[in-house]
Amino acid sequence: MASVTSLSDSVHQRLAAALSAALPQAGSADPLLRRSDRADFQANGILALAKKEKANPRELATQVVSGVESGELIKDVEVSGPGFLNITLTDRAITANLAARYADDSGRLGVPHTEQPGTTVIDYAQPNVAKEMHVGHLRSAVIGDAVVKLLEFTGENVVRRHHIGDWGTQFGMLIQYLEEHPHELDHKADEVSGEEAMSNLDRLYKAARKLFDADEEFKTRARRRVVDLQAGDPRTLAMWQKFVDESKIYFFSVFEKLDMEIRDADIVGESGYNDMLAETCRLLEESGVAVRSEGALCVFFDDIKGPDGNPVPLIVQKSDGGYGYAATDLSAIRDRVFNLKADSIIYVVDARQSLHFKMVFETARKAGWLGDDVKAHQLAFGTVLGKDGKPFKTREGETVRLVDLLDEAIDRASAVVREKAQDLSEEEIAERGTQVGVGAVKYADLSTSANRDYKFDLDQMVSLNGDTSVYLQYAYARIQSILRKAGASRPAAHPELELHEAERALGLHADSFAATVAEAATEYAPHKLAAYLYQLASLYTTFYDKCPVLKAETQEQIENRLFLCDVTARTLHRGMDLLGIRTPERL
C-alpha cells in the first residue's frame, strides 16, 4: 500500500501555499506548524517572515487565512496574538486519515519508506570472548538493536556488526594453559548451555591467570604463544577458535534472553581485521598522517593536548610492533567504507570512549577514508546507575552480571503478572513474566536519551503506573480484551460522526506515528519513539475513561470507538516492536 500523507503534512502544504501566494517574493516559506493546546495546530512562522519582509505580521496572517481553503480538511483558521495561526481540523479528516492508515494491511500503518535509502553499518553489542557479559553491555545491545529496527523499518540497508573482543595478549595465556591442561574444556559445545560454557571459560581464565602470575616460565611460554597466534600458527589458531566458539554459545544465550536476534555472520571481531593492520599502518605512514615517535606510530592533533599542554597522540602501532585498538578500528573503517560501501557508520559505544573515536574519525578523514559522502557517528551512551546514583554494582562491589539482572527483572515481572492474572496458566504467567520483565529493562534504557545516565530501579520498571513498558503493555492488553468482548461489533471508521475531545486528541496523536518514526530513525533517537508511545497510551487511558466503547449510544459510535481502539493497539504494537519489546495479548 502507498504511504499515507499525515494530517500535519496536509495542513503544512495548504499553509505554505497560502504564504507563498501572500508573499510571492519570499519564495517557499515554512509556516512552522506545531501541535498546540489552543487548537489542533499552531503556525508560528509568519512572525519571522513578516519581520524579514518588513510587513505587518497580523495583516500578513489575515491575508494568509483568506487564502486557506476550509472544507474537508480544515474547519477553522484563527489569527491569534501578533500573528500566530490557530488551526482546527474537521472531525471527518481525523477519522478518514486514520482509516487510510488502518487499511494498510502490511502492518506499516501507512508509514513511508525513505526516498533515498543508503547503507548504514552499525557497530553494537560488543561483548568480550572468555568474559561474562555484565550490566555495562546492556545499553550498547539494547540501543543498537532499536536503532537497527528503526532504520530497517524506514527502508535503510543496514549491515550489523558485533565487534567482539576476541584478540589480544590474554589469549596467549589462555591458549598456553589449555595446551598444557587439554582436558579443562573436554566437552562438546552442543552439550552445554551458554552459562555453563562461560562458567567453564571463567574457571579456565582464573586458573591461567593464577599460573601466569606465579610462574615466570609459564609467563614466557604464554607470551611466545601470543606471537604464534599473531603469526597464524594453525594449532594455536585452532585452540583460539575453541575459545571463541565456547563464548559464542554464551553470547547467543544472553542475547536470546534479551529477546534480540544476533546472527553469526554479523559477528566480526577484532580478529577479523588482523590481515589489514600492517597495510593500515603503512598507508598512514606513507601519507604522512601518522609519524614515528619514540618507536611508535602516532597521529597527532592540533586541538588534543594533555593537562601538561603536550599533544596526546593516537597510537596506531606500539614501539614493540604490536597493534592497539586504533589500528583495528581504522582497519574496520576501511572495510566498512570500501568493501561494505557504507554511507553511514554508527558506533553504539560508551561515552567514555568519545575521545578515542574523535581521534579515529579525524585520522580516517585525514587519510581520505572518510569523505564528505560518508558519515561516521558515535552514538555515545551514559552509565547505568544504582538507586544511590553511583555506577551499578553488587553489594560486594562487583559488576552486576547481565544474566542475573535479567533473571531478577523476570522474577519481579512474573509476580506482577501473577497478581493481575485471572485466567492465565502457570506456563502463560512465566511467558508473560519474561516478556514483561525483559521489556521493562529495555524500555527503562530506551526511554532515556542515550547520552544520559539512568538509575536502574526494578521496582519502578515493573510498575503499572508511570512511564514504564508495563503501562504500555497493559494498555495494549486492555484494548485486546475490549476487542474480544465486542462480539458481533467490529471496528469500522465512521467519518461522519462528531468526535469527543478525547477521541480527537487520541486520533491526532496516532496520526503522527509516521513523523515520529522518521525523526527517531534520522536522529538515532529511540527515546523519542518511547516518549510518543507513552503519550499515546496516556491519551488512550483518557479516552477509555471518558468515552464508553461497548456501551456507546449508537452502533456506529461503538464501531468507530472500536476502530480508534484498534488503531491505537496496532500503533502500540508496531512501535513497541521497533523498540524490541513484546506486547502480550493478555496480562
Side-chain angles (χ1 to χ4, degrees), residues 384-399:
V384 181
L385 306 175
K387 290 183 182 180
D388 58 2
K390 297 177 181 178
F392 198 24
K393 303 278 186 182
T394 65
R395 289 179 182 174
E396 295 75 29
E398 307 240 339
T399 304

Side-chain angles (χ1 to χ4, degrees), residues 530-563:
Y532 168 88
L533 294 173
Y534 173 61
Q535 189 177 358
L536 180 68
S538 299
L539 288 169
Y540 179 77
T541 299
T542 302
F543 158 80
Y544 180 81
D545 290 342
K546 295 187 176 181
C547 302
V549 178
L550 300 181
K551 294 182 179 180
E553 294 177 3
T554 67
Q555 182 61 27
E556 289 77 16
Q557 199 173 48
I558 291 173
E559 292 171 355
N560 200 62
R561 287 179 177 173
L562 284 171
F563 156 72

Side-chain angles (χ1 to χ4, degrees), residues 560-579:
N560 200 62
R561 287 179 177 173
L562 284 171
F563 156 72
L564 282 172
C565 287
D566 206 9
V567 168
T568 302
R570 294 185 187 191
T571 306
L572 281 170
H573 175 76
R574 172 54 67 191
M576 294 284 271
D577 181 63
L578 292 174
L579 296 179

Side-chain angles (χ1 to χ4, degrees), residues 108 111-114 117 120 122 124 142-158 160 346 379 446 513-533 571 574-580:
R108 295 186 60 83
V111 177
H113 285 97
T114 185
T120 295
I122 178 165
Y124 70 109
V142 170
I143 295 168
D145 188 53
V147 173
V148 166
K149 291 177 183 295
L150 280 163
L151 291 174
E152 287 182 336
F153 188 67
T154 61
E156 182 79 351
N157 173 38
V158 179
R160 312 173 191 204
I346 308 170
L379 180 47
L446 294 171
F513 178 63
T516 304
V517 168
E519 183 181 9
T522 301
E523 298 180 12
Y524 313 135
H527 71 281
K528 294 196 171 183
L529 177 58
Y532 168 88
L533 294 173
T571 306
R574 172 54 67 191
M576 294 284 271
D577 181 63
L578 292 174
L579 296 179

Side-chain angles (χ1 to χ4, degrees), residues 413-462:
S414 297
V416 172
V417 172
R418 179 174 280 104
E419 186 180 325
K420 288 285 181 183
Q422 296 177 346
D423 55 353
L424 297 181
S425 66
E426 280 299 313
E427 184 179 349
E428 288 173 321
I429 289 172
E431 180 188 7
R432 304 295 193 281
T434 298
Q435 293 174 347
V436 172
V438 173
V441 171
K442 286 185 172 184
Y443 186 84
D445 195 310
L446 294 171
S447 60
T448 304
S449 177
N451 59 11
R452 291 177 53 201
D453 300 341
Y454 78 95
K455 291 183 181 180
F456 194 91
D457 184 349
L458 272 178
D459 291 329
Q460 174 56 31
M461 289 179 186
V462 299

Side-chain angles (χ1 to χ4, degrees), residues 341-487:
K341 309 298 182 186
D343 303 297
S344 300
I345 311 173
I346 308 170
Y347 294 80
V348 189
V349 182
D350 192 315
R352 288 170 291 190
Q353 296 189 43
S354 294
L355 178 60
H356 170 77
F357 279 100
K358 178 184 177 182
M359 296 163 86
V360 166
F361 295 160
E362 191 169 331
T363 299
R365 289 190 188 96
K366 287 180 178 179
W369 303 334
L370 282 178
D372 295 337
D373 56 340
V374 183
K375 176 175 66 173
H377 175 72
Q378 182 196 357
L379 180 47
F381 55 82
T383 304
V384 181
L385 306 175
K387 290 183 182 180
D388 58 2
K390 297 177 181 178
F392 198 24
K393 303 278 186 182
T394 65
R395 289 179 182 174
E396 295 75 29
E398 307 240 339
T399 304
V400 179
R401 295 196 321 158
L402 185 51
V403 168
D404 293 341
L405 182 149
L406 294 174
D407 284 344
E408 186 177 356
I410 291 168
D411 288 345
R412 297 278 191 94
S414 297
V416 172
V417 172
R418 179 174 280 104
E419 186 180 325
K420 288 285 181 183
Q422 296 177 346
D423 55 353
L424 297 181
S425 66
E426 280 299 313
E427 184 179 349
E428 288 173 321
I429 289 172
E431 180 188 7
R432 304 295 193 281
T434 298
Q435 293 174 347
V436 172
V438 173
V441 171
K442 286 185 172 184
Y443 186 84
D445 195 310
L446 294 171
S447 60
T448 304
S449 177
N451 59 11
R452 291 177 53 201
D453 300 341
Y454 78 95
K455 291 183 181 180
F456 194 91
D457 184 349
L458 272 178
D459 291 329
Q460 174 56 31
M461 289 179 186
V462 299
S463 172
L464 282 164
N465 302 311
D467 188 4
T468 68
S469 65
V470 190
Y471 177 71
L472 303 182
Q473 289 168 323
Y474 186 69
Y476 177 82
R478 174 190 277 173
I479 295 172
Q480 297 308 314
S481 175
I482 291 172
L483 294 173
R484 287 192 296 271
K485 293 174 181 176

Side-chain angles (χ1 to χ4, degrees), residues 22-307:
L23 278 177
Q25 71 273 22
S28 59
D30 187 353
L32 297 179
L33 193 69
R34 289 171 176 72
R35 291 279 285 120
S36 171
D37 56 3
R38 297 178 179 274
D40 294 334
F41 295 97
Q42 187 175 82
N44 303 330
I46 290 175
L47 278 77
L49 190 61
K51 184 177 180 180
K52 180 182 175 183
E53 298 297 327
K54 296 182 172 53
N56 181 300
R58 192 168 175 87
E59 288 179 5
L60 177 59
T62 303
Q63 194 175 348
V64 169
V65 169
S66 67
V68 176
E69 285 186 32
S70 57
E72 290 285 308
L73 175 64
I74 296 175
K75 179 180 179 181
D76 183 51
V77 184
E78 173 190 74
V79 179
S80 173
F84 300 121
L85 296 183
N86 290 332
I87 302 104
T88 302
L89 305 189
T90 65
D91 290 347
R92 174 177 289 277
I94 295 172
T95 304
N97 226 51
L98 279 183
R101 295 192 181 283
Y102 190 71
D104 182 358
D105 56 10
S106 70
R108 295 186 60 83
L109 296 165
V111 177
H113 285 97
T114 185
E115 293 181 4
Q116 295 181 310
T119 296
T120 295
V121 177
I122 178 165
D123 186 330
Y124 70 109
Q126 312 104 342
N128 294 308
V129 165
K131 293 183 180 178
E132 288 188 295
M133 293 176 68
H134 54 77
V135 67
H137 291 108
L138 177 67
R139 301 210 72 186
S140 178
V142 170
I143 295 168
D145 188 53
V147 173
V148 166
K149 291 177 183 295
L150 280 163
L151 291 174
E152 287 182 336
F153 188 67
T154 61
E156 182 79 351
N157 173 38
V158 179
V159 180
R160 312 173 191 204
R161 280 292 175 264
H162 307 297
H163 192 87
I164 64 172
D166 64 352
W167 206 246
T169 54
Q170 77 267 31
F171 289 100
M173 179 186 76
L174 282 164
I175 292 166
Q176 187 61 35
Y177 185 84
L178 188 60
E179 171 78 5
E180 298 175 11
H181 303 80
H183 300 299
E184 289 285 338
L185 286 180
D186 193 13
H187 62 259
K188 294 180 181 178
D190 58 1
E191 291 178 353
V192 296
S193 70
E195 290 185 47
E196 287 174 322
M198 187 49 66
S199 177
N200 289 332
L201 282 179
D202 189 59
R203 174 177 46 77
L204 187 70
Y205 181 86
K206 288 175 180 175
R209 169 56 70 182
K210 184 177 180 180
L211 187 59
F212 186 87
D213 292 339
D215 188 333
E216 285 298 321
E217 291 186 5
F218 175 75
K219 185 180 290 186
T220 300
R221 294 194 298 274
R223 285 173 173 163
R224 277 203 302 266
R225 184 66 68 171
V226 176
V227 177
D228 293 339
L229 178 63
Q230 292 174 339
D233 173 63
R235 179 173 175 78
T236 302
L237 279 175
M239 297 176 76
W240 166 81
Q241 189 64 55
K242 194 166 189 174
F243 286 118
V244 174
D245 292 342
E246 292 277 320
S247 296
K248 281 185 178 179
I249 298 170
Y250 167 74
F251 296 158
F252 288 131
S253 72
V254 177
F255 288 125
E256 184 179 9
K257 185 165 282 191
L258 260 175
D259 199 15
M260 280 176 51
E261 179 194 25
I262 299 290
R263 302 180 299 226
D264 192 55
D266 301 330
I267 299 176
V268 183
E270 295 167 4
S271 63
Y273 307 100
N274 196 45
D275 294 342
M276 299 176 66
L277 302 181
E279 185 182 25
T280 294
C281 291
R282 179 180 62 78
L283 292 170
L284 289 171
E285 190 167 12
E286 288 179 355
S287 65
V289 173
V291 296
R292 291 287 168 182
S293 175
E294 298 180 18
L297 185 64
C298 303
V299 182
F300 291 91
F301 309 88
D302 295 335
D303 60 338
I304 301 176
K305 293 181 170 58

